């Protein structure tokens, strides 16, 4: 079961590469739950950072017990980290910290 789960994670992460259309079609978390109507979409409980993090947690848990999966798990974790650091994921930052120079 764990190997199948890791293969699924690999398919929805690393195998997508940098194909923005494929990434957007799979990782299109949208929904309600905004704290304010003017809040950006990545500020709600369906924000992509949560889903990416859950994939990373599960991947780490699978690979921790099965060292032979290190390469595939590392590829998944690397892809997830690149996505977590992307501007698309951090859209909400300007809501909390406007670029006007104020603290």
């Amino acid at each position: 079961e764990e190997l199948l789960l890791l293969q699924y994670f690999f398919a929805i992460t690393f195998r997508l590469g940098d194909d923005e259309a494929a990434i957007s079609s799979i990782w299109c978390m949208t929904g309600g739950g905004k704290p304010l109507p003017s809040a950006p979409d990545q500020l709600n409980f369906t924000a992509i950072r949560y889903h990416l993090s859950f994939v990373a947690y599960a991947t780490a848990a699978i690979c921790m017990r099965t060292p032979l999966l290190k390469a595939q798990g590392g590829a998944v974790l690397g892809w997830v980290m690149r996505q977590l650091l992307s501007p698309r994921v951090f859209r909400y930052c300007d809501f909390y910290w406007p670029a006007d120079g104020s603290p």
Side-chain angles (χ1 to χ4, degrees), residues 10-67:
F10 190 79
I12 64 168
T13 60
F14 185 77
R15 195 170 290 153
L16 298 177
D18 294 324
D19 182 347
E20 285 299 322
I23 292 169
S24 293
S25 71
I26 291 175
W27 295 93
C28 59
M29 285 57 189
T30 58
K34 291 183 179 185
L36 299 170
S38 63
D41 65 345
Q42 289 301 307
L43 193 61
N44 57 33
F45 60 84
T46 60
I48 191 172
R49 66 185 178 274
Y50 300 127
H51 300 276
L52 289 167
S53 296
F54 295 144
V55 167
Y57 303 148
T59 299
I62 291 168
C63 294
M64 139 181 110
R65 293 192 315 218
T66 313

Side-chain angles (χ1 to χ4, degrees), residues 55-96:
V55 167
Y57 303 148
T59 299
I62 291 168
C63 294
M64 139 181 110
R65 293 192 315 218
T66 313
L68 293 174
L69 300 175
K70 181 180 175 183
Q72 192 174 21
V76 170
L77 292 174
W79 188 92
V80 167
M81 289 307 298
R82 284 190 300 280
Q83 295 303 311
L84 284 170
L85 296 172
S86 72
R88 177 172 79 116
V89 172
F90 280 97
R91 253 184 267 186
Y92 70 94
C93 287
D94 287 337
F95 182 78
Y96 285 123

